[in-house]
Amino acid sequence: MNVTSTRPRLSVIGLGKLGSPMAAVFGVKGFDVVGVDLSSTFVSALNAGRAPVEEPQLQEFLDRAKGRIRATGDYEDAIRSTDITFIIVPTPSGPDRLFQNRYVVDAVERIGKALHNKSDYHVVVVTSTVMPGSTGGEIRAALERTSGRIVGENLGLCYNPEFIALGSVVRDMLFPDMILIGESDTRAGDMLEAVYRGSTESTPEFHRMNLVNAELCKISVNTFVTTKISYANMIADMCDHLPGADAHVVTRAVGADSRIGRKYLKPAIGYGGPCFPRDNKAFAALGRKLGVNCELAEATDRVNDHQLHRLMGAVEASVSPGQTIAVLGLSYKPHTGVVEESQGVSLAVMLAEAGYGVMVSDPMANDAGVAVLGTRADVFASAADAVANADAVVIMTPWPEFSEINWHSGLSAGQSRVVIDPWGIVETTETSGVKLVRLGRGDWRHASAAREAAA
């Protein structure tokens, strides 16, 4: 591999939840970075050394990278000052569920215009998730048209998506399993690989390929992960109906087989967030467009949609109509305030529509949750306070602090409370006044059926 001895200068287009951490990690690893965003608020924050978005470790890394990162709204300034440009802007889903490239193309056109005033070799890297055929199709065409250059001569083009999750973006960028590089040519791929060899702390596998293979690989990975999640939840649903069965025991053993692995094979609730649901739907939509049978991806979505109804079944079997239920966790995963496609928010809505009193609490997502829920739920800053005022509790996000709650809090003599735990994070055994319902374990459903028969 031919790699230049001097470190390339980097620019990052888009300073949101992924772009800001990317700039910070590159800066800490010794690269000079120029961040670009159309939001003057984000630009001002980064220039002042403040994190434009909330993400664990981001502020710490910006502090450590001080002097190596600056931000601007001027594309020409950024392109003239750097050698490689990463584009990490939104690619929203369209009515057909395929990703739309309008923000990427807009960024590419601005980059292309700036390249008119620069003669040096430059690499443009698309990091945003796009549909297969996009980078080598309309994105390349827009770049060549606006720059007046031909990709492969004095211009490189790569597709390089990240495999990261909100709440752990910095860590995931430092310790990736794999670096995926779709490249227009070897020179562009060499330069990009050198950046990651100088910025990661793990020893990732580098997989370099053409553009369309890399694009397909990205959505294939996420779709395979969602399949594992739905498979684990299907096992849990089955265990709910088998006395003595325990999905956590079963999936741990199944995951011990090296052909399968334990990652994401954990029974709990359905998947949510900004990536998994839409990537799975996009994969299936692409299959339909190409005339390919993608029923597996569609079945994965159907199993995922069923999980809320499964949870409601547990509530209805354990809690009397009209009682008050505390939903703990509105973010789609711990350590982020994002509620997009949140199972916790969806359950709160479903409970309210079924006539239950609903209280919600989340360490980071209360404000975002309120924006969706409105008056359908009472919001508590403290999860412990919500529990103390509830007849029943459902744990929807496995925040570490939830496992430390006193589930007896607020109970008077003779009172009782149901705690529904899909994750298996509550270690307390059943005691007087608290009924623990662990999903994926057959005993709870059959105990409920026995109580109904006795009544």
Side-chain angles (χ1 to χ4, degrees):
M1 182 182 70
N2 298 319
V3 179
T4 57
S5 58
T6 57
R7 285 198 161 192
R9 299 163 299 171
L10 313 178
S11 48
V12 177
I13 311 297
L15 297 176
K17 294 182 178 295
L18 303 182
S20 288
M22 173 182 277
V25 168
F26 285 152
V28 164
K29 293 301 180 178
F31 292 91
D32 291 326
V33 185
V34 180
V36 183
D37 204 287
L38 299 180
S39 167
S40 59
T41 301
F42 281 15
V43 169
S44 297
L46 203 60
N47 282 331
R50 300 192 312 272
V53 295
E54 192 169 16
E55 176 66 30
Q57 294 186 275
L58 175 55
Q59 187 60 58
E60 172 198 341
F61 270 59
L62 287 175
D63 293 341
R64 290 171 55 188
K66 189 174 182 180
R68 287 190 291 271
I69 300 176
R70 67 179 180 89
T72 179
D74 185 343
Y75 273 74
E76 184 148 343
D77 172 20
I79 301 307
R80 185 175 60 248
S81 305
T82 60
D83 308 297
I84 303 177
T85 300
F86 295 82
I87 302 172
I88 190 160
V89 298
T91 50
S93 300
D96 58 2
R97 297 188 171 183
L98 301 176
F99 306 142
Q100 299 179 323
N101 295 329
R102 61 181 183 271
Y103 298 120
V104 176
V105 171
D106 177 71
V108 163
E109 289 177 341
R110 293 169 185 264
I111 293 166
K113 291 175 183 177
L115 284 171
H116 264 300
N117 301 317
K118 179 182 179 181
S119 59
D120 297 341
Y121 181 79
H122 199 94
V123 178
V124 176
V125 182
V126 178
T127 299
S128 305
T129 303
V130 298
M131 299 305 301
S134 295
T135 308
E138 66 172 329
I139 293 172
R140 175 175 179 161
L143 181 60
E144 291 183 336
R145 182 184 70 252
T146 54
S147 68
R149 302 187 187 193
I150 300 298
V151 168
E153 294 181 1
N154 61 346
L155 177 63
L157 179 62
C158 292
Y159 178 65
N160 170 232
E162 297 282 0
F163 296 92
I164 53 182
L166 296 179
S168 59
V169 176
V170 172
R171 185 195 67 200
D172 294 344
M173 287 183 173
L174 290 172
F175 299 97
D177 294 328
M178 168 183 68
I179 300 295
L180 178 64
I181 298 175
E183 58 191 39
S184 60
D185 57 86
T186 302
R187 181 182 181 186
D190 284 350
M191 286 185 66
L192 187 54
E193 180 172 340
V195 170
Y196 283 109
R197 289 195 180 277
S199 64
T200 55
E201 296 184 7
S202 57
T203 53
E205 292 187 18
F206 283 83
H207 288 267
R208 293 171 56 173
M209 58 195 71
N210 67 23
L211 297 171
V212 69
N213 281 338
E215 291 164 332
L216 181 57
C217 181
K218 165 60 177 177
I219 59 172
S220 296
V221 167
N222 280 4
T223 303
F224 191 86
V225 170
T226 59
T227 302
K228 289 187 73 173
I229 294 170
S230 282
Y231 197 90
N233 284 332
M234 181 180 68
I235 291 174
D237 199 359
M238 193 169 289
C239 288
D240 282 342
H241 292 78
L242 290 170
D246 188 329
H248 295 268
V249 172
V250 173
T251 53
R252 276 197 299 270
V254 170
D257 190 314
S258 62
R259 296 171 298 175
I260 298 172
R262 289 195 174 117
K263 282 188 176 181
Y264 289 96
L265 193 72
K266 181 178 176 62
I269 64 173
Y271 53 79
C275 293
F276 282 168
R278 80 182 199 114
D279 285 9
N280 207 73
K281 290 176 172 62
F283 189 90
L286 176 64
R288 288 192 295 271
K289 181 180 178 181
L290 298 174
V292 175
N293 186 327
C294 286
E295 290 182 3
L296 182 58
E298 294 168 353
T300 293
D301 263 344
R302 289 195 297 272
V303 171
N304 195 62
D305 292 341
H306 172 65
Q307 300 315 306
L308 278 175
H309 299 284
R310 180 169 154 249
L311 267 172
M312 277 298 294
V315 170
E316 291 166 349
S318 309
V319 186
S320 300
Q323 287 192 298
T324 300
I325 300 176
V327 176
L328 302 189
L330 299 175
S331 59
Y332 83 98
K333 65 184 293 292
H335 310 298
T336 180
V338 173
V339 299
E340 189 173 343
E341 297 286 343
S342 160
Q343 296 276 303
V345 170
S346 296
L347 180 67
V349 170
M350 192 176 288
L351 291 170
E353 291 176 348
Y356 293 94
V358 182
M359 300 180 295
V360 297
S361 185
D362 188 283
M364 291 181 65
N366 276 348
D367 290 344
V370 168
V372 179
L373 293 170
T375 60
R376 286 176 287 197
D378 295 323
V379 181
F380 283 72
S382 164
D385 289 344
V387 170
N389 288 277
D391 299 305
V393 180
V394 185
I395 303 172
M396 293 300 291
T397 311
W399 285 93
E401 48 264 55
F402 289 168
S403 63
E404 305 299 323
I405 291 175
N406 177 4
W407 305 109
H408 292 81
S409 177
L411 289 179
S412 302
Q415 283 187 309
S416 63
R417 174 177 296 132
V418 174
V419 178
I420 299 175
D421 176 19
W423 299 92
I425 66 171
V426 179
E427 296 182 358
T428 307
T429 56
E430 186 172 330
T431 56
S432 177
V434 173
K435 169 65 179 179
L436 182 60
V437 175
R438 298 181 186 269
L439 294 196
R441 293 168 170 85
D443 294 335
W444 77 264
R445 184 180 288 274
H446 289 271
S448 174
R451 287 196 301 271
E452 290 179 5

